[in-house]
Amino acid sequence: MPGPVESGHELLVDLFDGDALGAPITVKWQQNFVARQSTYYRVDAYNTATDETVPFFIAAEYYKSSTSSNPNHISKVGTLLPGEGYKLKVNDKLQYGQKNAEGENRFIVFHDKERKPYQHRFIETAVLSALAKSGEEAAGKVLTGFGLSGAASAVVDTVKAYVGDYLHTF
């Protein structure tokens, strides 16, 4: 089994395709006693170092074509591979969540690092969004992408290992 994504690896992220991606997910959290929320797209990024895909959350304003003037847009920090997507080097611009210190079920987040949601918010939101949109089978596939198993309707139980942990920076 390949190891988790590490600093220095390169990820390939597909070009933005709003039709294929559908609506972004909304991640909600509390920060400094204020309710916050932001929209993200959840995609599968290809890790060239491990020959595996990894769940990748990217802030909508860093991904949508209409926001390409943003200085942190993927087109400004990644290398465009025409017809394929963007090659993005894993560095301190990215954060990650994981199940344990060994890096199991690691997923990547590319957003404004001033945002401080707990890592379980991404998993919960992605699975519940898939469950609402496409049903148990699609939500189960999202769970599998995180290396988790079981009924998607029991998502709260599957993310207990993530509760209370902030994202980590590479």
Side-chain angles (χ1 to χ4, degrees):
M1 179 167 141
V5 175
E6 298 288 343
S7 185
H9 287 184
E10 290 183 333
L11 302 176
L12 297 178
V13 179
D14 289 339
L15 296 170
F16 180 81
D17 180 350
D19 292 335
L21 290 169
I25 60 172
T26 301
V27 175
K28 298 177 181 182
W29 72 97
Q30 291 279 327
Q31 186 173 327
N32 298 328
F33 304 107
V34 176
R36 308 269 177 117
Q37 68 179 34
S38 290
T39 55
Y40 294 82
Y41 286 97
R42 191 249 181 238
V43 299
D44 288 322
Y46 176 74
N47 183 350
T48 61
T50 63
D51 197 33
E52 298 255 309
T53 58
V54 59
F56 186 87
F57 292 89
I58 182 168
E61 69 272 17
Y62 287 8
Y63 197 39
K64 292 191 312 190
S65 301
S66 62
T67 60
S68 62
S69 63
N70 185 314
N72 290 310
H73 191 271
I74 194 166
S75 63
K76 305 277 191 298
V77 298
T79 302
L80 176 63
L81 302 175
E84 291 186 51
Y86 295 99
K87 182 169 54 172
L88 194 62
K89 188 156 191 118
V90 176
N91 58 28
D92 64 357
K93 289 187 179 293
L94 302 176
Q95 294 188 302
Y96 63 92
Q98 60 191 14
K99 181 178 178 180
N100 56 34
E102 289 74 42
E104 282 185 81
N105 306 339
R106 186 170 288 177
F107 62 93
I108 311 302
V109 180
F110 181 36
H111 67 159
D112 180 347
K113 292 190 305 184
E114 294 299 312
R115 299 175 185 169
K116 304 289 184 198
Y118 289 126
Q119 53 184 311
H120 76 276
R121 296 287 183 200
F122 290 91
I123 299 168
E124 265 179 344
T125 304
V127 174
L128 291 175
S129 174
L131 183 61
K133 184 166 86 174
S134 302
E136 190 79 26
E137 184 177 334
K141 288 180 182 177
V142 172
L143 275 172
T144 301
F146 288 107
L148 304 170
S149 62
S153 57
V155 68
V156 174
D157 292 334
T158 65
V159 299
K160 284 183 180 175
Y162 299 85
V163 174
D165 287 338
Y166 289 108
L167 295 168
H168 307 279
T169 300
F170 282 99

